[in-house]
């Protein structure tokens, strides 16, 4: 009988190997199971540290794309695809960006967000079709996410993006992965064997989420979406977010609630404009104009006004 090539391949993938620390996990008490999981999770952030240089390069590429009308596109299958969608969706309320500035694509489409779609991760043609459906182009950046680094759907997406001369980034948890070899930037967090063998929704998924947090957050900081460590571009679209915007204005200016409320009202609930008004004693219109002159960077706009 011929050997199964995929089985042979799995033997070489770090995240598919058995974890000697959890061989007896089915014999442990509930508390000890949780202790084992927690101990393994502690290794995740440390595994990402060596990849910071690659992540930094990817962030600069994404920032350059944003500054030239490009978009950040995440693509993956299963857990990897869901994590990309999660990060993309959160960028809208957090940074008030356009809905299509950061997009998450999952193999199998929207149905695959909630349910496994059989064969989706192996469908290479679908990856190309999914990118064409959003008019993916050379201005965009594609971040292919796959814990194993070998998902055919993601490999195909990266190859298609490369054919358009778009910048590509690979995020995996296995060294020397196929997607890493094909992408312009290879981000690898070798978290090691999972608590449950092959269950890459665990440590690998956690590592991927942390990396995506870095990519989007650092990129947004670099295009002026924050002031100090405050989310000054937060979209006050509900009561909780309005309260957060109010608090941000108070924290940034050391003003009282009454002053912050009045400024927010005049600024159309835009925290960045309200902060500018209070700190520079300018009107909403003047503050907005100064922000536009400084490409949305609040700190630069304040310095310009006070110069």
């Amino acid at each position: 009988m011929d050997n199964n090539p995929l089985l042979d391949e799995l033997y070489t993938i770090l995240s598919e190997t058995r974890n000697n620390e959890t061989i007896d996990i089915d014999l442990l008490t509930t508390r000890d199971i949780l202790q084992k999981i927690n101990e393994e999770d502690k290794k995740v952030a440390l595994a990402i540290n060596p990849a910071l240089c690659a992540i930094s390069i990817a962030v600069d590429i994404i920032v350059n794309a944003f500054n030239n009308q490009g978009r950040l596109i995440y693509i993956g299958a299963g857990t990897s695809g869901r994590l990309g969608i999660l990060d993309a969706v959160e960028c809208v309320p957090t940074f008030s960006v356009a809905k299509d500035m950061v997009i998450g694509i999952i193999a199998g489409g929207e149905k695959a967000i909630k349910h496994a779609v059989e064969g989706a991760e192996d469908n290479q043609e679908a990856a190309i079709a999914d990118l064409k459906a959003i008019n993916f182009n050379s201005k965009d950046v594609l971040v292919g996410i796959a814990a194993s680094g070998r998902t055919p759907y993601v490999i195909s997406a990266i190859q298609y993006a490369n054919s358009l001369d778009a910048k590509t980034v690979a995020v995996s948890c296995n060294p020397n992965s196929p997607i890493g070899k094909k992408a312009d930037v290879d981000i690898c967090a070798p978290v090691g064997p999972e608590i449950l063998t092959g269950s890459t929704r665990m440590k690998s998924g956690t590592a991927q989420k942390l990396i995506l947090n870095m990519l989007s957050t650092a990129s947004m900081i670099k295009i002026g979406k924050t002031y100090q460590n405050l989310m000054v571009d937060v979209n006050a679209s509900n009561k909780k977010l309005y309260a957060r915007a109010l608090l941000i204005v108070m924290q940034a200016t050391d003003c009282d609630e009454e002053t912050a409320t009045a400024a927010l009202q005049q600024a159309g609930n835009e925290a960045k404009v309200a902060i500018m008004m209070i700190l520079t004693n300018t009107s909403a219109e003047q503050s907005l104009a100064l922000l536009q002159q400084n490409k949305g960077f609040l700190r630069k706009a304040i310095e310009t006004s006070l110069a």
Side-chain angles (χ1 to χ4, degrees):
M1 182 185 294
D2 293 334
N3 289 337
N4 185 324
L6 181 55
L7 182 62
D8 292 338
E9 188 176 356
L10 290 179
Y11 277 123
T12 68
I13 297 175
L14 181 61
S15 60
E16 297 293 333
T17 57
R18 295 191 73 184
N19 191 327
N20 291 329
E21 297 298 322
T22 60
I23 294 291
D24 63 348
I25 198 166
D26 60 328
L27 301 175
L28 301 181
T29 65
T30 300
R31 178 64 175 76
D32 287 342
I33 290 172
L34 300 178
Q35 185 66 41
K36 287 283 188 181
I37 294 173
N38 184 242
E39 289 298 323
E40 289 297 313
D41 284 344
K42 291 177 183 177
K43 301 174 183 178
V44 175
L46 295 176
I48 293 173
N49 186 265
L52 290 180
C53 182
I55 296 171
S56 177
I57 293 170
V59 167
D60 289 341
I61 288 172
I62 294 166
V63 170
N64 183 64
F66 285 162
N67 287 334
N68 289 279
Q69 292 77 53
R71 301 169 295 174
L72 168 59
I73 312 298
Y74 294 128
I75 195 163
T79 297
S80 298
R82 295 182 190 101
L83 289 170
I85 291 171
L86 175 62
D87 196 68
V89 169
E90 291 292 342
C91 286
V92 177
T94 305
F95 302 110
S96 292
V97 297
K99 291 182 180 179
D100 64 348
M101 186 170 171
V102 184
I103 297 174
I105 299 175
I106 185 170
E110 288 191 14
K111 179 182 177 182
I113 297 173
K114 292 184 178 180
H115 306 284
V117 176
E118 188 173 348
E121 73 168 44
D122 296 321
N123 195 331
Q124 299 181 54
E125 292 76 18
I128 297 172
D130 289 343
L131 289 176
K132 286 182 177 180
I134 63 164
N135 297 314
F136 184 88
N137 61 79
S138 60
K139 291 183 178 181
D140 300 327
V141 177
L142 183 73
V143 176
I145 314 163
S148 66
R150 57 152 303 279
T151 306
Y153 177 85
V154 179
I155 293 173
S156 177
I158 290 175
Q159 289 175 325
Y160 176 70
N162 287 340
S163 74
L164 300 178
D165 291 326
K167 292 296 184 180
T168 54
V169 178
V171 177
S172 80
C173 294
N174 286 288
N176 303 311
S177 69
I179 65 169
K181 292 176 181 178
K182 294 182 182 299
D184 294 310
V185 182
D186 178 17
I187 299 173
C188 178
V191 296
E194 296 288 356
I195 296 101
L196 300 179
T197 306
S199 184
T200 52
R201 68 186 179 85
M202 301 189 79
K203 290 195 298 182
S204 296
T206 301
Q208 290 172 325
K209 181 64 174 76
L210 293 176
I211 291 168
L212 300 190
N213 285 350
M214 290 180 175
L215 291 177
S216 59
T217 304
S219 296
M220 293 298 172
I221 290 171
K222 297 287 283 185
I223 62 169
K225 291 294 181 178
T226 63
Y227 172 66
Q228 300 171 352
N229 62 352
L230 298 172
M231 301 184 296
V232 292
D233 261 325
V234 64
N235 181 11
S237 58
N238 58 42
K239 290 182 178 179
K240 184 189 77 172
L241 291 177
Y242 174 80
R244 179 170 292 163
L246 188 63
L247 180 60
I248 287 170
V249 173
M250 294 168 66
Q251 290 172 325
T253 64
D254 288 326
C255 73
D256 57 27
E257 182 179 347
E258 183 178 358
T259 302
T261 301
L264 263 179
Q265 184 176 12
Q266 294 173 45
N269 288 340
E270 293 188 26
K272 183 184 282 185
V273 176
I275 293 167
M276 184 75 187
M277 291 168 59
I278 295 170
L279 291 181
T280 61
N281 195 29
T282 53
S283 67
E285 293 76 15
Q286 290 171 322
S287 294
L288 184 59
L290 283 164
L291 285 166
Q292 290 172 343
Q293 290 171 22
N294 288 276
K295 298 181 178 180
F297 283 85
L298 179 54
R299 190 183 292 275
K300 291 181 181 178
I302 292 170
E303 290 172 353
T304 299
S305 175
L306 300 177

